[in-house]
Amino acid sequence: MTDQNSFAVLFEQHRPRLRRLAERMLGATAETDDVVQDVWLRASAAGVDDIDNIGGWLTTIASRACLNVLRARSTRGEIPIDDDGTDPVVERDPCGADPLEHAQQEDAVGAALTVVHEQLSPAERVAFVLHDSFDVPFEQIADLLERSPDAVRQLASRARRRVRSADVAGTRPARERRAVVDAFFAAARGGEFDRLVALLSPEVELRIDQGLSATALIRGGATVASRALMFATPGAVLTPVLIDGLPGVVVTIGERAVSVMAFDVDGDRIAAIDAFVGPARVAALTLPR
């Protein structure tokens, strides 16, 4: 049986991680200390005799406490209210606009990096922080958020796109990122396998969202390049857009939008591609006119 003193020593071993989690979720505020204290009170009252994974258990308690704080903030209008987390924001790409207008947007997006984390909904922030920073499985996060693992995966993906778009756009001109995307489609249409591989990170991920929880994940430069060649359509019309701030395209065949693709460009290579595929899935998105 674990006595209170022994548990106190055990808790102190986990305190730095719990505090780090709370800071990632809530920011460096007084609420961070309140969450850690709340975890201590709840855990010490419950006891740990029947707990096999104390670290995971404490993480779950801390996550629930953070989620309560985030939801309280959302009711006060301080952060966005939860949405379903599945649909990205698709906007007109200003890369072809007036240079001054474009430069002003770049400055604004760069500055937004400092606040973009605060703009995530509670569910997006929980999914993103727990999975990307603390390696918590989507299945476990799904239990916490009372959603399906696929829905949680989409929440994390959308949050990741928002954070990365602010980071990348603030440090790399959008025209350069767009040039990498244009080169990708040119190589695909030209059947240039080696060129495609050179444009893709070796660890690139292609996430294909067909709706109805049908999400596929393809990894590796050669595999993604082969997929791009297989589905390249010379007659398709590509309309440049921004998708959650990342460079992307709307693919239209015969005046019908069939897919929307977002590209996470890291340096001169594509690190990740999010593809929303099929007329039904695309019809669910709000596209710029």
Side-chain angles (χ1 to χ4, degrees):
M1 185 174 185
T2 305
D3 61 31
Q4 196 72 358
N5 289 335
S6 298
F7 177 68
V9 173
L10 190 62
F11 185 84
E12 288 305 314
Q13 295 174 359
H14 292 278
R15 180 185 291 273
R17 186 173 189 272
L18 297 174
R19 182 175 179 80
R20 192 163 60 251
L21 183 151
E23 287 178 345
R24 294 281 180 87
M25 294 269 201
L26 308 176
T29 69
E31 292 167 314
T32 298
D33 293 326
D34 292 341
V35 163
V36 176
Q37 181 64 18
D38 186 43
V39 174
W40 157 255
L41 293 174
R42 292 177 182 273
S44 59
V48 298
D49 290 341
D50 298 324
I51 305 300
D52 294 328
N53 182 355
I54 293 178
W57 180 62
L58 292 174
T59 295
T60 298
I61 297 175
S63 299
R64 290 188 187 280
C66 289
L67 185 58
N68 290 337
V69 173
L70 292 173
R71 285 174 172 166
R73 288 181 184 177
S74 70
T75 62
R76 299 194 298 267
E78 297 176 21
I79 59 175
I81 298 174
D82 285 354
D83 53 30
D84 60 12
T86 59
D87 291 340
V89 177
V90 185
E91 306 170 281
R92 180 179 64 88
D93 188 343
C95 280
D98 176 79
L100 177 58
E101 176 188 349
H102 173 67
Q104 290 173 339
Q105 191 209 43
E106 284 292 319
D107 290 342
V109 175
L113 177 60
T114 60
V115 298
V116 69
H117 204 247
E118 296 297 324
Q119 297 174 347
L120 302 178
S121 72
E124 286 174 336
R125 196 183 305 192
V126 168
F128 173 64
V129 170
L130 287 182
H131 183 265
D132 284 39
S133 297
F134 292 89
D135 297 321
V136 178
F138 284 126
E139 290 75 14
Q140 185 175 333
I141 303 172
D143 290 339
L144 175 67
L145 295 177
E146 298 181 341
R147 305 193 185 196
S148 70
D150 281 334
V152 172
R153 186 177 289 105
Q154 292 295 333
L155 286 167
S157 179
R158 180 171 182 174
R160 192 181 302 115
R161 287 195 301 269
R162 288 180 175 179
V163 172
R164 286 181 176 176
S165 67
D167 187 15
V168 173
T171 58
R172 180 175 172 79
R175 292 179 188 275
E176 294 181 24
R177 293 183 291 127
R178 173 60 64 183
V180 176
V181 175
D182 292 342
F184 171 85
F185 282 104
R189 283 177 164 175
E192 303 175 56
F193 178 79
D194 291 340
R195 175 60 176 155
L196 276 173
V197 173
L199 289 167
L200 297 169
S201 166
E203 297 81 26
V204 65
E205 289 189 350
L206 168 60
R207 296 178 284 266
I208 304 174
D209 179 356
Q210 301 179 67
L212 299 176
S213 299
T215 302
L217 178 62
I218 300 171
R219 291 189 177 95
T223 305
V224 173
S226 297
R227 180 90 177 193
L229 289 178
M230 186 183 308
F231 291 95
T233 306
V237 176
L238 308 177
T239 302
V241 292
L242 292 176
I243 303 171
D244 286 337
L246 295 178
V249 299
V250 176
V251 181
T252 304
I253 298 178
E255 299 186 354
R256 187 180 192 184
V258 297
S259 65
V260 177
M261 302 174 69
F263 294 80
D264 180 2
V265 179
D266 183 8
D268 295 324
R269 290 186 170 186
I270 295 168
I273 305 172
D274 284 286
F276 302 85
V277 177
R281 183 67 185 95
V282 173
L285 304 178
T286 300
L287 303 180
R289 296 181 180 275

